Amino acid sequence: MATPTAAAPRTNRLGLAILDYKGGKTTLCAGCGHNAISERILEAYFDLGIPPERVAKFSGIGCSSKTPAYFMSRSHSFNAVHGRMPSVATGALLANRTLHGVGVSGDGDTASIGIGQFVNLIRRNVAMVYVVENNGVYGLTKGQFSATADPGSTLKGGDVADLPAIDICALALQLGASFVGRSFSGDKKQLSVLLKAAVAHGGTALLDVISPCVTFNDHEGSTKSFSFVKEHGEPLQELSFVPAFEEIDVDYDPGTTQEVTLHDGSHLRLKKLEAGYDPSDRVRAMSRLMESARGGEVLTGMLFLDPAAPDLATRLGLVAAPLATLPPEQVRPSRAVLDAINASLR
Amino acid sequence: MTTEQLEVTHRAGPASRTVVNDFAIQVATVNGSGSQSANTVLLRALFQMGIPVSGKNLFPSNIAGLPTWYTIRVSRDGWVARKKEVDLLVAMNGETARDDVTQLRPGAAVIFDAPLALEAMRTDLAFYPVPFDELVAPVSSDARLRKLLRNMVYVGVLAGLLEIEIAEVERALARVFGAKQKALELNLRAVRAGLGHAATIEKHDPFRVAPMDATRGKIIIDGNAATALGALFAGVTVVPWYPITPSTSVVEALQGYLEQHRRTPDGQASFAVVQAEDELAAIGMVIGASWAGARAMTATSGPGISLMSEFAGLGYFAEVPAVIVDVQRIGPSTGLPTRTSQGDLLSTAFLSHGDTEHLLLFPGSVEECFTLTGQAFDLAERFQTPVFILTDLDLGMNNWMAEPLPYPETPLDRGKVLSKADLDRLGGFARYKDVDGDGIGWRTLPGTDHQKAAYFTRGTGHDEQAGYSERSDVFEKNMERLRRKFEGARAALPQPVVTGAGARVGLLAHGSSDPALREALVQLKQEAGLDADYLRVRAWPFAAAVRDFVAAHQRVYVVEQDRDAQLLALLKLDLEPSLTARLRSVAHVTGLPLDARSVTDELLAQEGR
């Protein structure tokens, strides 16, 4: 009988193992949806074969914003101030447009204190993945409603949300977002595909991920609980992803399946679960979102996608090399230039 | 007609003397009436005659319709501070004319729009009514243009009365209107109409100009443009900003220079100027860009500084470079948005909650707006912390004579950054470990291709490896290191400028107070025989020389443009009690640029003279 040998760990195209993409130990509650999202994020970068050193992680303040410490320790990370991560990420990605930026935020961080920065990040179409871990509640301060809490939804203590909820996806659509997806922390397959598509996208890729708070908002009466999303989740498509470095198999039915080429040459394949839904139609996406909200459903999938929308660095016409490390002769004009300026001021 | 053809009769006026190249002209107009071109032409013509000049715009927070004043000081001695007394008033605005005339001292002259009929107001002034509408009527049939051209008529009248060389007026006009031939001709005709009228005036004031050779080689520039050039030659790459008076023209000027000098032959930009949604986003982008290794800056004013408070603390604690230009205006709150002040000093020094302190630079001239802005980038990257450049509206938005801006002679100092090769050699690093004994750790930039390059930047408590820590001893040790780093900056920041030695009385000031202080020193000596030495502080935390200066004087007058003696308060924090007793305050909160007369009078009063 042969001695069993330990199987070699699976590696990606760089020869890196999944361990090379791991982060620190999570300090979030056991069962928190956020931990599952962290796993999906690191798997996406692993599967796509992106070196962790090429990734920059950004976050604000809140439970969600702690998570960059729990995945990909070999990536630089910036845990900024509450609601202002988008500006920090914008600055960093202007300084170095070759980085893969990924921001993790929450519904408080994005839709309450940080809504102004979120709005303008989307408008600028900064090339980065922007994940909202949306649980409708403030966890670190022990359970207050956020602006995404649905009206009628209750807190454990009995408080009822009475203000209109901000639908992050609908908001982003109105703002001209180039990539809008919604998923659920418990839907491993859909979330994985959407994350890979987000990484492959060349602008702000917004993913609103319902991520139940097991401690403060997972009870009967909450619209952000595991059971509610499982019952009322309404996927638009069955999604699959073919990275740019893999050959596309052509075996799909164009009548029921749509294929979109993403910014980096990857392909997103959408098998329609809903006849007539076209993710390049912003108006339809908006009305479909509002219909589902009215019906108490949680619409998920690739809501809208425009792979050709120019990102901020492109619109500014930036040089290809990172601004951060341009050599001095490219950034300090010559003595002759100053002489000419002085002469013009005489 | 040229000045040579003008025969101006000098009658023995109220002063029965001639005052050459030493007076202040104030032009009172209405905002939006196009007087800026006329005032620029006047200023430049005098400058081109070799006479030291300075121009100050006193304008309202308004687009059009409110009163505005422009003061030109002509000073053979080279004084460029605001002159408290107005010698020649050009009254174009009926709304303020009577008030303006009332405030003049005896012997002043008033050129005024004839229908205002000011001549009966006082008998101790020289009044020159000018029928502006009549004079401008033949110049253009377009009523809208005539409104603008009226201003050029007063340029002609002043040129005639003061004997400003018409050739220099023409050169200045050509410069202002450039290739716009039609505008140039019309304006020249308006000037000539004024000149012609001046020839009919019987002059009875003592003021006139005569050519000098005191401006050769000099330039004229406003502080905000000089600041912009400082950033350009420091190699700035990321400039997020939010418009706010009086800082807006820093970034507007910078954008112009960047467009001109920092595009590749195929049009690609080595810079990113982004108009942010507010000042919070502007500073956030600066912090993000600097963290990623770029030279990033923003420009703002008091209200923007307040909004940047939280990020300033993050920059301090997470040790991220940033350059922030604060062109101060007068607060509190919205305050007077178009008036000058030094009132952001204390709040900026400690901007943000907790034990936060920042490096501050105080340019005292347009040359220093250029040089200190350049240095700010080196200091921010060297000390890995936000650096605030405190200028003000007077320095930033007014035109000043200056020596040509000097090309930076030192290479860019990008601070302590570890490369892949460094990490290969070292095998790793600890972001916040004080390996060099100066309190400054080494950092890496995101994207560095090394397994050990990454670290986690956070505003939460952290250990030397940048890991989250709530341990008291770790926190305290880190705060002590930050203090050490800050103390180390004293010797590295721009050192004070000291004038004189050995006097018993010292003057101490910063920033745009400098021209008034230098003039006051001479007034004190000439008028009261008072010898005083003068130290101008150029940075905070203060250099050791500041303490030495206070220790060497019996009394030190701290002169500043705020109500609460903020500079004096900062000195008190720094000096031992035996020295703080020597400090006296001369603080002004008028919103007007500091003038020497006010300093001299107040100081002599305190000296009991």
Side-chain angles (χ1 to χ4, degrees), chain A residues 53-54 74 76-79 84 87-88 91-92 117 120 124 317-319 324 331-333 335 338 342 344-346, chain B residues 44 175 217 220 233 235 262 269 271 275 277 281 285 288-289 292-293 405 407 409-410 412 444 447 451 453 456-457:
Chain A
E53 290 79 16
R54 300 301 314 158
R74 280 171 55 179
H76 273 75
S77 193
F78 200 139
N79 181 206
R84 322 288 178 207
S87 62
V88 174
Q117 296 220 337
N120 286 285
R124 293 191 182 103
L318 298 191
V319 292
V331 294
R332 172 178 276 176
R335 193 178 292 270
L338 186 58
N342 275 322
S344 75
L345 297 166
R346 285 213 169 90
Chain B
R44 287 215 67 95
R175 196 188 169 96
I220 292 185
F233 285 89
R262 290 273 298 279
F271 62 91
Q275 187 181 321
E277 57 270 30
M285 288 183 211
L405 303 175
Y407 193 75
E409 297 300 340
T410 51
L412 308 179
T444 55
Q451 285 189 32
F456 197 98
T457 303

Side-chain angles (χ1 to χ4, degrees), chain A residues 155-321:
Chain A
L155 282 183
K156 269 178 162 173
D159 285 356
V160 182
D162 58 352
L163 295 175
I166 291 176
D167 184 323
I168 291 168
C169 291
L171 178 65
L173 280 171
Q174 194 284 321
L175 295 167
S178 58
F179 183 114
V180 182
R182 176 173 284 151
S183 193
F184 170 45
S185 61
D187 188 340
K188 188 172 173 176
K189 181 164 185 293
Q190 185 195 48
L191 180 54
S192 285
V193 174
L194 283 172
L195 275 166
K196 286 178 200 171
V199 173
H201 183 61
T204 307
L206 168 69
L207 281 179
D208 178 23
V209 186
I210 311 300
S211 176
C213 174
V214 290
T215 304
F216 294 108
N217 206 12
D218 195 29
H219 49 271
E220 183 80 12
S222 163
T223 58
K224 298 277 194 288
S225 66
F226 275 105
S227 58
F228 186 90
V229 183
K230 278 198 165 145
E231 271 168 46
H232 299 271
E234 201 180 359
L236 279 165
Q237 312 99 349
E238 212 174 279
L239 300 167
S240 53
F241 181 87
V242 186
F245 53 84
E246 274 178 21
E247 279 192 33
I248 316 171
D249 71 77
V250 286
D251 185 24
Y252 67 89
D253 171 12
T256 59
T257 303
Q258 193 179 356
E259 192 163 280
V260 183
T261 306
L262 296 163
H263 176 77
D264 76 346
S266 307
H267 293 82
L268 178 66
R269 196 166 286 175
L270 311 98
K271 187 176 175 203
K272 296 170 185 173
L273 298 178
E274 187 166 301
Y277 193 85
D278 175 1
S280 68
D281 183 345
R282 190 182 297 274
V283 176
R284 175 74 187 126
M286 185 69 101
S287 72
R288 191 62 193 79
L289 266 177
M290 298 187 88
E291 282 163 23
S292 80
R294 190 172 52 194
E297 302 296 318
V298 182
L299 196 64
T300 65
M302 190 73 252
L303 296 166
F304 178 79
L305 178 58
D306 174 6
D311 76 317
L312 179 63
T314 304
R315 272 191 296 101
L316 290 170
L318 298 191
V319 292

Side-chain angles (χ1 to χ4, degrees), chain B residues 54-76:
Chain B
S54 59
K56 293 197 188 297
N57 194 5
L58 182 62
F59 61 104
S61 178
N62 163 259
I63 291 172
L66 289 182
T68 180
W69 295 265
Y70 190 77
T71 308
I72 293 174
R73 180 174 188 183
V74 179
S75 171
R76 61 173 177 244

Side-chain angles (χ1 to χ4, degrees), chain B residues 238-543:
Chain B
V238 179
V239 189
W241 70 297
Y242 188 75
I244 179 170
T245 304
S247 73
T248 304
S249 57
V250 171
V251 179
E252 285 180 342
L254 180 53
Q255 183 149 27
Y257 289 127
L258 288 166
E259 288 290 349
Q260 209 175 346
H261 302 293
R262 290 273 298 279
R263 280 198 186 270
T264 60
D266 57 350
Q268 291 182 322
S270 64
F271 62 91
V273 178
V274 177
Q275 187 181 321
E277 57 270 30
D278 53 34
E279 287 90 345
L280 291 85
I283 185 66
M285 288 183 211
V286 169
I287 296 271
S290 302
W291 173 78
R295 292 206 142 182
M297 71 168 271
T298 189
T300 189
S301 192
I305 290 289
S306 294
L307 286 173
M308 292 177 186
S309 172
E310 189 182 20
F311 262 124
L314 176 71
Y316 170 78
F317 192 53
E319 300 179 66
V320 183
V323 173
I324 302 114
V325 179
D326 176 11
V327 187
Q328 296 169 91
R329 64 191 218 186
I330 198 163
S333 191
T334 309
L336 300 175
T338 58
R339 301 290 197 272
T340 196
S341 158
Q342 296 180 324
D344 295 350
L345 181 60
L346 268 182
S347 60
T348 308
F350 304 106
L351 190 67
S352 208
H353 53 274
D355 287 323
T356 306
E357 48 197 359
H358 301 292
L359 306 186
L360 311 180
L361 304 182
F362 314 126
S365 63
V366 287
E367 290 99 323
E368 285 188 353
C369 285
F370 177 78
T371 54
L372 295 197
T373 300
Q375 282 184 48
F377 287 92
D378 288 352
L379 290 164
E381 291 189 323
R382 170 59 44 189
F383 286 90
Q384 302 174 3
T385 198
V387 174
F388 293 81
I389 303 164
L390 267 59
T391 72
D392 58 34
L393 183 142
D394 181 26
L395 203 47
M397 288 190 74
N398 286 322
N399 280 313
W400 300 78
M401 288 191 310
E403 293 301 326
L405 303 175
Y407 193 75
E409 297 300 340
T410 51
L412 308 179
D413 177 1
R414 305 304 309 268
K416 296 185 184 181
V417 178
L418 295 172
S419 65
K420 171 179 161 47
D422 294 329
L423 292 167
D424 282 339
R425 183 168 47 81
L426 297 166
F429 83 116
R431 170 68 183 91
Y432 298 109
K433 193 172 167 65
D434 185 7
V435 290
D436 303 318
D438 56 5
I440 308 168
W442 287 79
R443 62 179 183 140
T444 55
L445 305 183
T448 303
D449 184 21
H450 192 282
Q451 285 189 32
K452 298 279 178 65
Y455 68 96
F456 197 98
T457 303
R458 56 174 92 242
T460 42
H462 45 266
D463 58 22
E464 288 178 342
Q465 284 75 34
Y468 181 73
S469 172
E470 293 187 9
R471 282 178 53 160
S472 306
D473 57 337
V474 168
F475 195 83
E476 195 173 21
K477 192 177 165 207
N478 190 36
M479 291 303 283
E480 279 166 6
R481 181 184 55 80
L482 281 165
R483 168 46 69 84
R484 221 162 40 244
K485 174 171 100 163
F486 192 75
E487 288 297 317
R490 289 181 193 270
L493 294 169
Q495 298 297 295
V497 178
V498 181
T499 308
R504 280 187 295 183
V505 169
L507 306 185
L508 198 155
H510 75 302
S512 72
S513 304
D514 186 52
L517 266 287
R518 283 189 281 116
E519 189 180 352
L521 275 181
V522 173
Q523 288 178 347
L524 290 167
K525 176 73 177 163
Q526 286 180 352
E527 297 173 14
L530 180 72
D531 279 312
D533 303 326
Y534 164 42
L535 179 142
R536 179 165 62 88
V537 62
R538 299 200 297 164
W540 190 76
F542 301 131

